[in-house]
Amino acid sequence: MYSMGIGSLIIVMIVSVCMGSVITLQTALQQAESSWIPAWTIGYTVRTSVILELCPTIISLLLVGNLGSRITAEIGSMKVTEQVDALEVMGINSASYLVLPKIVSSLFVNPALIIISIFFALMGGYITVLASGFITGYDYIDGITYYFIMYDVWYALTKTVVFGFVIASVAAFYGYKIEGGALELGKASTKGVVVASFIILILNLVITNVMLN
Amino acid sequence: MIVVNKVNKSFADKQVLHNINITFEKGKVNLVIGRSGSGKTVLMKCLIGLLTPSEGSIYYGNRDFHHLTFSDQKALRNEMGVVFQGSALFDSLTIEENLMFPLNMLTKQSFKEKLDRVNYCLHRVDLYNTNKLYPSELSGGMKKRAAIARAIAINPQYLFCDEPNSGLDPKTSLIIDELITGITHEFSMTTVVNTHDLNSVITIGETISFIKDGVLGWYGTKDEVLRTENEGLNDFIYAQPITQKIRDFVH
């Protein structure tokens, strides 16, 4: 759990700050064309976008590439080098010994990383409004706290738990079914990332339809 | 003693093993030899339970391995030590942790007892000051010895080695062969070794089973192997100029 979480923390923080900054700038530029829209709208829009969609989905897609490919490579290389066979010979169920801890970790790590990501995305937006001077910091904070609905956070966390399961299980599946050598390992990593990303995008649509419609 | 009784193994339409009958004797080094692709590794995987024979039985004493209950199979696995071709040491664990792993999983010994056993096994295979090293920090020969040490850590009755000399220089191969023989006799284990190393065949093969195209082509001892009239075995044994000179010398 430590290696999965800490290993992805820096990249999640960097991407989140950049994402928060960009969405803030884009919203501010749109708002600048209409002077009658209240200043707090920027913070409100950034918060809503970040919590509902950007952080849960974009960061999960990022983690597919980071955590998912790592899981596929780790299990796959153990398969190729007969380490999985060594476990089986000792009477250990290699699937539950290797895969289950990764799935359980991912169920906890993914939501934690997304919460951190939301915080850093909002911070990125705050730094941007201070630096650009489009609106005041007070207006931004007013916006991100305006009409705050806790259900949005539960919706985001639900998505991240589901996505966390998809990231670990799909990656482990492709790592576990490798037969062959290093070439197969590379192919399996790529295929795992593509399939997990596709499943996440489809589930995103389904969960959004179920929980927000 | 392990008795392989009328074992067939097929993958889809391809039959790899054809009616194999072999007895691997207790307290002896039993070699299985044959060319690459002859079915040696498939036979070993059937022996250690990684594959299930399509037909036939494998008896460990009077226990039919593939017809045991899950818990009995697990108990039998605790009596097996396996040295894989590529050593199969766990990359993320130190050598000490690698050896302690089966003890943690399969025994209820105290940490002190396990550490004593680990150190005994490492000394038995002449590995010193390697406890805290990772497998990537060892040479090929040292990895093989560490794998043997891990295999004997649980004090198995059955030892399986899949091509233990592959990728090793002749001197290190000799050391590994001597080690396997020594351990087998010392602990009175039933040892099965897959190999196509001819030096192993003529030095440690107390029983030798020659597999050709999935069929048991010949069975004998190291004293008989150089004098056999079996055409397939002779093709295999005397494929190299050096062994042809040995044949000329013997005859």
Side-chain angles (χ1 to χ4, degrees), chain B residues 75-93:
Chain B
L76 182 51
R77 284 177 193 278
N78 295 356
E79 299 172 19
M80 295 179 186
V82 182
V83 179
F84 288 91
Q85 190 173 352
S87 301
L89 295 168
F90 302 121
D91 298 327
S92 56
L93 304 181

Side-chain angles (χ1 to χ4, degrees), chain A residues 1-21:
Chain A
M1 192 182 290
Y2 178 84
S3 65
M4 287 174 79
I6 301 298
S8 307
L9 191 57
I10 300 295
I11 185 76
V12 165
M13 284 159 55
I14 292 169
V15 169
S16 302
V17 169
C18 293
M19 206 160 56
S21 298

Side-chain angles (χ1 to χ4, degrees), chain A residues 51-74:
Chain A
I51 292 178
L52 290 183
E53 187 58 34
L54 290 177
C55 285
T57 309
I58 301 296
I59 297 299
S60 290
L61 289 173
L62 178 81
L63 292 175
V64 168
N66 192 353
L67 285 184
S69 58
R70 187 194 300 184
I71 291 171
T72 306
E74 189 180 317

Side-chain angles (χ1 to χ4, degrees), chain A residues 162-178:
Chain A
V162 173
F163 295 166
F165 177 79
V166 171
I167 291 167
S169 56
V170 171
F173 172 77
Y174 279 97
Y176 204 78
K177 74 175 199 139
I178 283 178

Side-chain angles (χ1 to χ4, degrees), chain A residues 82-83 88-91 97, chain B residues 82 84 90-91 101 105-106:
Chain A
E82 297 178 308
Q83 292 175 52
E88 291 286 344
V89 165
M90 289 177 205
Y97 183 80
Chain B
V82 182
F84 288 91
F90 302 121
D91 298 327
F101 187 86
M105 289 292 169
L106 306 172

Side-chain angles (χ1 to χ4, degrees), chain A residues 70-81:
Chain A
R70 187 194 300 184
I71 291 171
T72 306
E74 189 180 317
I75 296 177
S77 66
M78 287 187 76
K79 191 87 190 293
V80 169
T81 57

